[in-house]
Every structure is written in C-alpha cells, then in structure tokens.
Amino acid sequence: MFAQQSLLEAANKNAELLRGLNETESASSSLEQSQAYLDDLDREIDICNTEIQHLEKKTAAELKDHKKYAESITLRFISRAVGKSEQFAERASKEEREYLEAVAAENQAKSRLEEWTKKRDEARKQHATLETTNKTHKRLQSELDALYNSIFAGPTPDFPGEDQKESAMREAKEAYNIAKQQHGAEIQAVKCLEDAETLMLEALEWLKNAGDQSPIDKLSSGMMLADVLERTALMKAQNAIDKAKMLVEQAQRLSPNIPGLGNINISHWHVISDIIMGDIFSDKAQDARIKASRALVDKESRSLGWASMKARERSEQLEQKAAVALTRLETARRELQRIRREAFESFEGPPPTYDEAVQHSLASLTI
C-alpha cells in the first residue's frame, strides 16, 4: 500500500514538473544568445568611450588654439601693424574650422554611445527576465532528475525501451536548442538591418536637404548661413551612415550570410575657406559631389534593403526549423513520459487523472 501511494505521488509530481519544464524549455538557449548580444554591446560601448576620451582631449586643444586667435587683441593688433592682417584672418579661420570639426566628431561619438547604451539597457532587462526563467527551469529539471533517479537510476531492463526513449529525448532537446539559438540570432540580425535601413533613409533625407541649398537660396538667406546649414546636413548624413554601418557589422556577427555596406564618405567642404575663396564653380563642384553621394547612399540603401529581405526569409526558415525541432522534442518527451507512465501502470496500476487528483485533494480538505 505504501509503495502504491509512493508511485501515485511520483506520477503526479512527474506530470507537474514536465509541464513546468515545457513552459521554460527555450530559456537556456535564449539566455546564451542574450549574453552574447550583451557582450557585443559592451565591446561597442568600450570602443565608443575610448574614442570619446581621445576626441575630448582633441576638442580641448582645438578650442585653446581657436581662442588664441579669436580673442587675442594683441595678436590682431600686431598682425595689422606689420601688414599681415590677411594671414591672421586665414589662420583664425583655420583654427575655427578645426575646432568646429573636433566638436562635431565628439558629438557624433557621443551620439553613437547614447545609441549603444540605450540598446544595452533594453537588452539587460530582457536578459534579467530570461535569467529568472532559466533559474526556474533548472530548479524544475533538478527536481525531475531527483524524482527519476529515485525510480529509473541506471540501466532499466525492467522497463523495456525506457533507456532508448531517454536517449532520443536528449538528442531532440539538443537539436531544438541549436535551432532556437540560430533563429534568435537571425531575429536580432533582422532588427539591426531594419534599424540600419531607417538610418540610411535618414542620411538620404539629410543629403537632400544639403542639395536643396541652391545658389539663389544662398544669396537670399546669406552665404554664411546657407553654407553652415549645408555642412550641418552633410555631417548629420555621415553620422547616420556611420551608425548604419555599425549596425550592419553587428548583424554580420550574428548572421555571417549578411553582406556589408560599402565605404561611404560624404564630401565635407571647408566652410570658412570656401566662403572666402568660393565662386559659382566651387558651388557647382560641391553640388556634383552631393549628387554623387546621394546616388551612392541610395545604391547602398537598396542593397541593404535586399539583404534585410533575405535575412527575414532566413529568419522565417529558421523559425520553421525550430518549430519542427520543438515538435520532435515534444514527441520524444511524450514518448519518454508514456513509457515511464506505463512503468508505473505495470507495477501498481494507472495513476489518477488530473481531475481525479483535484477531487481527491478537495475531499481531503473537507475531512
């Protein structure tokens, strides 16, 4: 009687644990992929921080040189006295330009850091959820192992087929974990490519804004203002392209089948010197460079769209592969569950159904 009660309790516990394990099955493989993604983000953030430290020092040095010429009344007076006002103005313009370029480079690096940090914060939240689920899965698995070891430890010739079914379930579980991990990596790659597509479209819009600064616009709004607006648009376009390229590189690490972006360097003309020396020919040359940049970005954007479409197709295929692997795992688990259930039945009769167990528990509470 005691043995029968033990087997009945073990059967109910077995079913309960298997339900919980089925609900948390993908936690382990998803957690591994999540950790790899976090490690990748940490590396990108470290690179950005190092770059920013270097750029901050460079900006400080350029500011010092810029102030030396912009605020020094003595140097300006001496230059005028010796007839070198023009050389002084050229040097002042050069220092101003180099300072503005340093500030822009620093701001672009900080913008990239902000983007990576935001992604890491989101990834950490998802990772924490996966860790909790994985801990639950491990706890349930430990309880199930203890239960099975108490009944089926070692070879089980008294339970024909049990050893073979257990081995089949282990193989099915390993195949599912691999398929799930590949699918998860492709999903993240697709997300990176979609974000990169958005940034490339943003770059095209900034290039359009830069190209819209016609000679008539420059005359009506003022040459200096128009040129500054144009240069700002070009720098923002380059910044968007740089971010898109980093996202594509991240996608390539997740899925090696993804092609990279080509080398895209937007032409930045020098504001001060081109205003002083600029004429209709330099304007036309710059307009031609902007059009060439737009054509190149448009071409790479189309290629990126194609790569993104292919990645989505692979993701769908891997999702189907993971679904097939999960079905096989569930089948193997049910088969193992069946043969172990039959082992219980062959010794002490079938365990109670779930409804019977609930009714029994309620009856015991009313006694």
Side-chain angles (χ1 to χ4, degrees):
M1 185 65 181
F2 176 77
Q4 180 181 10
Q5 184 64 28
S6 297
L7 287 172
L8 290 175
E9 291 176 357
N12 291 333
K13 185 65 174 177
N14 180 47
E16 176 189 339
L17 292 172
L18 285 174
R19 281 195 298 271
L21 287 169
N22 185 49
E23 293 171 357
T24 59
E25 184 65 48
S26 64
S28 179
S29 58
S30 297
L31 189 63
E32 290 178 5
Q33 186 60 44
S34 175
Q35 185 60 58
Y37 181 50
L38 275 174
D39 291 342
D40 187 43
L41 291 174
D42 285 336
R43 282 192 294 271
E44 294 293 346
I45 288 173
D46 287 342
I47 292 172
C48 278
N49 280 323
T50 300
E51 182 184 6
I52 288 171
Q53 290 176 2
H54 169 73
L55 291 173
E56 285 177 340
K57 292 179 181 178
K58 183 177 180 180
T59 300
E62 295 295 348
L63 176 60
K64 182 179 179 181
D65 292 340
H66 169 54
K67 285 185 174 181
K68 178 180 178 181
Y69 284 87
E71 299 178 358
S72 176
I73 298 176
T74 302
L75 282 177
R76 188 182 302 274
F77 177 78
I78 294 175
S79 299
R80 185 178 302 171
V82 297
K84 293 186 176 182
S85 297
E86 183 177 349
Q87 291 90 331
F88 178 87
E90 290 177 356
R91 182 61 184 272
S93 296
K94 173 179 177 295
E95 297 300 340
E96 179 185 20
R97 181 178 68 249
E98 291 178 351
Y99 168 64
L100 291 174
E101 289 174 349
V103 170
E106 181 183 332
N107 288 337
Q108 289 175 13
K110 289 180 177 178
S111 177
R112 290 194 297 272
L113 177 61
E114 183 179 354
E115 187 75 18
W116 289 123
T117 303
K118 181 180 178 181
K119 286 183 175 295
R120 186 178 64 178
D121 291 342
E122 294 174 353
R124 281 177 172 174
K125 291 178 182 178
Q126 297 175 358
H127 191 76
T129 301
L130 287 172
E131 283 183 325
T132 300
T133 305
N134 193 51
K135 286 179 181 178
T136 300
H137 183 81
K138 288 182 177 180
R139 176 180 59 79
L140 294 173
Q141 186 64 59
S142 178
E143 292 180 19
L144 186 66
D145 291 342
L147 178 66
Y148 284 174
N149 285 335
S150 68
I151 302 171
F152 301 103
T156 54
D158 293 335
F159 309 115
E162 192 275 337
D163 290 337
Q164 290 81 0
K165 297 297 182 183
E166 186 175 3
S167 176
M169 195 197 77
R170 283 197 301 267
E171 292 175 1
K173 182 179 180 181
E174 182 178 356
Y176 170 71
N177 285 341
I178 292 173
K180 186 70 175 178
Q181 184 173 358
Q182 290 175 340
H183 179 224
E186 201 68 39
I187 288 176
Q188 291 184 3
V190 168
K191 181 63 168 61
C192 289
L193 291 178
E194 289 175 345
D195 290 345
E197 282 187 274
T198 300
L199 287 166
M200 291 294 282
L201 292 175
E202 180 183 321
L204 280 171
E205 188 63 27
W206 282 117
L207 285 171
K208 180 179 180 299
N209 290 343
D212 287 344
Q213 297 294 326
S214 66
I216 294 177
D217 293 331
K218 292 180 179 180
L219 289 173
S220 62
S221 63
M223 185 69 74
M224 172 70 81
L225 176 59
D227 285 334
V228 169
L229 290 175
E230 178 181 296
R231 182 176 176 81
T232 299
L234 292 175
M235 294 178 69
K236 288 186 176 181
Q238 185 69 61
N239 188 28
I241 291 168
D242 291 343
K243 288 180 180 179
K245 193 166 187 176
M246 286 192 300
L247 286 169
V248 172
E249 290 172 353
Q250 184 179 356
Q252 288 179 302
R253 289 191 288 270
L254 292 164
S255 179
N257 296 314
I258 295 172
L261 276 182
N263 189 28
I264 307 174
N265 291 314
I266 303 299
S267 174
H268 294 173
W269 65 341
H270 296 148
V271 179
I272 303 299
S273 60
D274 286 337
I275 290 173
I276 295 173
M277 303 298 296
D279 52 30
I280 189 171
F281 298 106
S282 62
D283 280 344
K284 286 184 176 180
Q286 179 64 2
D287 289 342
R289 288 193 291 267
I290 292 174
K291 288 180 181 178
S293 295
R294 285 180 65 179
L296 178 58
V297 173
D298 183 65
K299 176 185 174 183
E300 291 297 329
S301 182
R302 293 177 185 274
S303 297
L304 180 58
W306 179 85
S308 182
M309 180 189 70
K310 290 296 182 182
R312 283 191 291 270
E313 291 177 357
R314 285 193 300 272
S315 177
E316 292 174 358
Q317 293 170 357
L318 289 170
E319 183 178 17
Q320 294 173 1
K321 181 180 177 181
V324 171
L326 178 59
T327 299
R328 290 174 179 170
L329 174 59
E330 291 173 344
T331 300
R333 183 184 288 116
R334 284 195 299 269
E335 282 297 300
L336 183 60
Q337 170 72 8
R338 178 188 61 77
I339 201 167
R340 286 174 170 173
R341 183 184 181 91
E342 289 175 354
F344 281 112
E345 294 174 353
S346 66
F347 274 85
E348 303 294 342
T353 65
Y354 177 76
D355 290 339
E356 290 172 343
V358 170
Q359 291 174 3
H360 175 74
S361 297
L362 292 174
S364 64
L365 290 174
T366 59
I367 296 175

